[in-house]
């Protein structure tokens, strides 16, 4: 699966999956600095499908931006290989 997004505004960072994607598409990731990020939306459905493959404790490389004005709600703009999650080794 090849997912490439030129519209992302941030550099990819590594996060740990704290809570897997639920039926509503929401997931919780934790940054390397201990911050928690509540993902609620995706640039396209392929990104959601890719993150759905990840399990709790998987590490993923993700680009995100704030979703609106809410304090801790995030929109995924890209997923990349390179972290230790086998589920995302095909994602660019």
């Amino acid at each position: 699966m090849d997912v490439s997004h030129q519209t992302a505004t941030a550099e990819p960072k590594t996060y740990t999956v704290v809570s897997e994607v639920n039926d509503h598409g929401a997931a919780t990731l934790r940054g390397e600095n201990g911050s928690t990020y509540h993902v609620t939306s995706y640039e396209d459905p392929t990104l959601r499908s890719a993150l759905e493959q990840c399990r709790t404790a998987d590490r993923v490389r993700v680009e995100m931006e704030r979703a609106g004005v809410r304090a801790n709600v995030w929109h995924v703009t890209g997923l990349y290989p390179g972290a230790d999650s086998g589920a995302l080794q095909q994602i660019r």
Side-chain angles (χ1 to χ4, degrees):
M1 176 178 349
D2 182 21
V3 180
S4 182
H5 293 280
Q6 304 303 318
T7 60
T9 59
E11 226 176 86
K13 295 182 182 173
T14 301
Y15 300 89
T16 301
V17 177
V18 175
S19 112
E20 299 169 17
V21 176
N22 66 21
D23 293 341
H24 304 286
T28 304
L29 306 178
R30 178 162 293 125
E32 292 182 323
N33 65 357
S35 296
T36 301
Y37 300 84
H38 300 288
V39 173
T40 61
S41 62
Y42 304 84
E43 193 74 18
D44 72 42
T46 308
L47 292 171
R48 176 180 169 167
S49 295
L51 196 55
E52 285 175 332
Q53 297 174 33
C54 297
R55 299 295 166 241
T56 301
D58 279 353
R59 290 170 37 86
V60 295
R61 288 184 63 225
V62 178
E63 280 182 334
M64 303 189 276
E65 55 190 33
R66 286 197 186 277
V69 295
R70 294 188 60 191
N72 195 19
V73 179
W74 296 85
H75 174 80
V76 173
T77 57
L79 289 167
Y80 300 87
D84 56 14
S85 171
L88 293 179
Q89 294 307 306
Q90 300 296 320
I91 309 273
R92 306 190 135 245

